Amino acid sequence: MTSNGTNNGTSHHAQGDTATWTVKAGLAQMLKGGVIMDVTDAEQAVIAQEAGACAVMALERVPSDIRKEGGVARMSHVKKIKEIQAAVSIPVMAKARIGHFVEAQILEALGIDYIDESEVLTMADEVNHIDKHQFKAPFVCGARNLGEALRRISEGAAMIRTKGEAGTGDIVEAVRHMRSIQGEIRRIQSLRDDEVFIAAKDLQVPIDLLREVKRLGKLPVVNFSAGGVATPADAALMMQLGAEGVFVGSGIFKSGLNEPTEAARRKVQGQMAAAIVKAVTHFNDPKILAEVSAEIPDEAMRGISTAQMKPEELLAGRGN
Amino acid sequence: MPSTSAPASLPTSSVTPALRIGVLALQGDFAEHIVMLQECGVEAVEVRTEAQLAEVDGLILPGGESTTIARLLIAFGLMAPLRARLHEGLPAWGTCAGAILLAKTVTNLDRPPLAVMDITVERNAFGRQLDSFEADLDIKGVPGEPLRAIFIRAPIILSVGEGVEVLAALPDGEIVAARQGNLLATSFHPELTHDRRVHELFVRVVEAARRTTTG
């Protein structure tokens, strides 16, 4: 038990069925219209919660540092995760490597609220993803297109995020992936029922999931945007394109780096975070977006253009 | 386009405008509530501004992250006008995070809630997501078979004040639904199911309140 963090059910116990599909997908529904922020330690988690994040994502290094420093990117240190859990009362997510089901087992044992099987970390298995149905904790996975999204859902993902290109501050890939998924959904809706079989074959996805997409006109789970969001305008753009919420990584804790002191840097990072939260709420109101955009620090994340990167530097191709 | 006003031959005086119920749409699962309300046959609107708030006959505060919604209520200057409307008797129903915001007292919320309903609420009372669950629940005012109640990192109502009616409790005794006049609070999420009975109950509360104020 901690003073600020979630209690661990010592006084009240679940009275019913836990870890059902409704309960797993349901937490993602509660996060909608919100911003999930990457954090590497408790101090950043507190800044994120204070700014209005609806959840935090624990990871070892923010993507732009993974990009710069190279090496193997793994699950966060367990001590860091526990410190983050103790510091905030909002849901705490954490990243595991693609296919690394033992990292996922450890995260579940820690009581992580959502596990992100993430292409941002180094892959542990270049063939198989984690069998996510075997876990009580829900999973979110990245996707570039409808085929990837439905394959992850068939493996047990209860939430999807478009991949974008993490750690770049360049929104172009996030836009590409969101338009791809939304466009493919519209195409599926236009098919006759007897044409869905061949579409499932082409997309390499289960026919039942594709029929559900045709019926719903959307993915059967919540779909956020991720990878390259660096400003309130970027976040609102993704919402207008159909994202149900936004993940922000390096865009917050790599902003304001020219500030003279650590305290000043933290302050402007908090302002950036709060401005993105407000922009996601009022994503359709340009007047409010203009006001909110005036509140952000002069120095947004510098970023790198994905068009100038070599194909092997792109993370989004991992795990298709 | 021709004029949209009603032809003179219609007895307009007896036509009651459709019930308009808002859903606070700052963050959370407001879209699910909108769909349920539409299925109940009322006009459902997203509420993000004071102007939108002024035009609704009732308001649902959805599930979501209570710390986030509380900050956005403050940041956009909605706390005071919303509290004022609730004090005037605007019917409201809070699900999960929404129930937390309606409560007079909340343990472990770092912003003051709306504090309009005489209940004490504990956030995340069962623990983390792994302790989220679903169960069949009998609810006073909801006749028929038990409702499938979805509890997600759910709060509980630790105690209720005078004039607050307990509508549902779990087998261990935790209060998970209550009503005080035109205010409803549930720890669980009927909007995540296809069972409209709690939404229909709220629509009846809103209907009755409008009859009282206009009649």
Side-chain angles (χ1 to χ4, degrees):
Chain A
M1 287 290 289
T2 60
S3 57
N4 194 33
T6 312
N7 87 49
N8 278 313
T10 46
S11 51
H12 305 281
H13 299 283
Q15 291 149 62
D17 304 322
T18 55
T20 63
W21 179 255
T22 305
V23 160
K24 286 177 170 181
L27 178 56
Q29 290 172 275
M30 296 310 133
L31 301 172
K32 286 197 300 180
V35 181
I36 301 168
M37 302 182 190
D38 279 355
V39 298
T40 57
D41 57 30
E43 188 190 354
Q44 290 183 348
V46 169
I47 293 172
Q49 175 171 272
E50 191 53 38
C54 65
V56 291
M57 171 74 72
L59 76 175
E60 188 189 37
R61 292 171 281 170
V62 293
S64 70
D65 284 338
I66 294 173
R67 217 171 256 299
K68 203 162 57 191
E69 296 161 8
V72 177
R74 310 181 177 92
M75 173 183 83
S76 284
H77 197 289
V78 165
K79 268 193 288 190
K80 290 274 185 202
I81 293 174
K82 286 185 169 176
E83 286 167 13
I84 292 166
Q85 287 176 313
V88 296
S89 67
I90 58 178
V92 177
M93 303 180 158
K95 286 187 190 288
R97 282 177 269 178
I98 289 176
H100 205 315
F101 50 84
V102 173
E103 282 188 348
Q105 289 165 3
I106 291 168
L107 292 175
E108 179 173 280
L110 289 171
I112 279 293
D113 294 300
Y114 240 97
I115 299 171
D116 185 354
E117 186 184 19
S118 178
E119 73 285 356
V120 172
L121 306 185
T122 310
M123 292 179 83
D125 188 328
E126 293 185 339
V127 180
N128 304 290
H129 278 73
I130 297 171
D131 177 1
K132 295 167 273 289
H133 292 292
Q134 303 307 317
F135 287 78
K136 290 189 160 73
F139 278 74
V140 55
C141 285
R144 289 175 297 176
N145 50 51
L146 184 60
E148 284 187 11
L150 295 184
R151 284 193 290 280
R152 298 296 86 77
I153 295 167
S154 73
E155 296 156 3
M159 178 180 185
I160 292 293
R161 55 172 177 75
T162 50
K163 285 177 176 172
E165 192 56 37
T168 62
D170 186 348
I171 200 67
V172 67
E173 294 300 311
V175 169
R176 189 192 318 281
H177 300 158
M178 186 58 72
R179 281 195 185 273
S180 167
I181 288 183
Q182 305 287 1
E184 285 178 278
I185 291 173
R186 286 193 295 273
R187 186 181 73 82
I188 296 303
Q189 283 185 285
S190 73
L191 300 180
R192 283 165 50 102
D193 286 345
D194 60 5
E195 293 166 344
V196 180
F197 298 97
I198 190 72
K201 181 186 155 196
D202 291 343
L203 287 170
Q204 301 180 50
V205 299
I207 180 76
D208 292 344
L209 275 178
L210 200 60
R211 282 196 182 118
E212 195 166 355
V213 167
K214 179 168 162 26
R215 185 175 64 82
L216 297 170
K218 64 186 287 295
L219 290 180
V221 300
V222 167
N223 183 24
F224 271 44
S225 172
V229 174
T231 64
D234 288 345
L237 173 66
M238 298 317 299
M239 294 296 288
Q240 289 197 26
L241 284 172
E244 295 180 284
V246 172
F247 285 86
V248 185
S250 320
I252 291 169
F253 292 108
K254 288 295 166 189
S255 65
L257 293 185
N258 289 344
E259 294 298 323
T261 65
E262 188 61 34
R265 186 182 309 172
R266 267 183 234 131
K267 186 168 170 235
V268 298
Q269 289 171 350
Q271 287 168 339
M272 176 64 95
I276 293 175
V277 169
K278 293 178 195 169
V280 167
T281 293
H282 288 284
F283 68 92
N284 242 340
D285 188 331
K287 198 164 160 284
I288 294 181
L289 291 175
E291 288 165 18
V292 161
S293 298
E295 295 168 8
I296 64 173
D298 299 339
E299 187 74 5
M301 176 189 178
R302 176 59 56 85
I304 39 174
S305 164
T306 57
Q308 290 163 9
M309 291 164 63
K310 300 191 194 87
E312 63 269 25
E313 292 176 319
L314 299 175
L315 305 174
R318 296 174 176 173
N320 55 17
Chain B
M1 283 287 290
S3 163
T4 51
S5 59
S9 58
L10 276 182
T12 48
S13 60
S14 68
V15 175
T16 319
L19 221 48
R20 184 201 293 243
I21 299 185
V23 184
L24 189 67
L26 300 177
Q27 190 271 322
D29 70 338
F30 49 87
E32 284 80 348
H33 276 295
I34 296 269
V35 170
M36 293 291 265
L37 288 170
Q38 285 167 341
E39 287 175 5
C40 290
V42 302
E43 188 186 347
V45 294
E46 295 178 359
V47 171
R48 288 186 179 80
T49 63
E50 197 177 340
Q52 291 163 342
L53 176 65
E55 290 177 353
V56 297
D57 300 307
L59 184 72
I60 292 179
L61 294 88
E65 182 45 53
S66 53
T67 57
T68 302
I69 299 172
R71 280 159 175 72
L72 289 164
L73 281 170
I74 295 165
F76 292 109
L78 287 171
M79 256 316 174
L82 177 52
R83 194 178 282 132
R85 281 222 68 191
L86 292 166
H87 279 307
E88 288 164 15
L90 178 75
W93 170 25
T95 57
C96 195
I100 292 169
L101 290 165
L102 289 177
K104 201 158 262 178
T105 313
V106 183
T107 64
N108 192 19
L109 180 67
D110 57 5
R111 292 289 188 280
L114 287 159
V116 291
M117 190 170 176
D118 195 4
I119 55 176
T120 299
V121 170
E122 179 184 351
R123 281 178 75 215
N124 300 332
F126 300 96
R128 299 187 181 281
Q129 169 64 10
L130 291 174
D131 303 299
S132 293
F133 62 99
E134 52 180 294
D136 292 334
L137 189 69
D138 285 312
I139 304 165
K140 225 186 224 178
V142 178
E145 62 198 53
L147 187 117
R148 193 68 179 164
I150 318 291
F151 295 88
I152 300 196
R153 287 174 46 98
I156 57 168
I157 299 169
L158 287 175
S159 63
V160 302
E162 254 179 70
V164 181
E165 186 185 11
V166 173
L167 299 183
L170 290 171
D172 285 355
E174 292 94 345
I175 301 169
V176 291
R179 176 174 177 180
Q180 180 178 23
N182 290 337
L183 302 175
L184 285 176
T186 59
S187 304
F188 49 93
H189 298 280
E191 75 279 11
L192 295 188
T193 70
H194 298 290
D195 192 331
R196 291 200 297 268
R197 288 177 293 165
V198 185
H199 286 82
E200 286 164 355
L201 170 67
F202 182 61
V203 169
R204 289 198 297 274
V205 171
V206 177
E207 243 164 8
R210 192 171 69 171
R211 265 201 308 276
T212 314
T213 49
T214 58

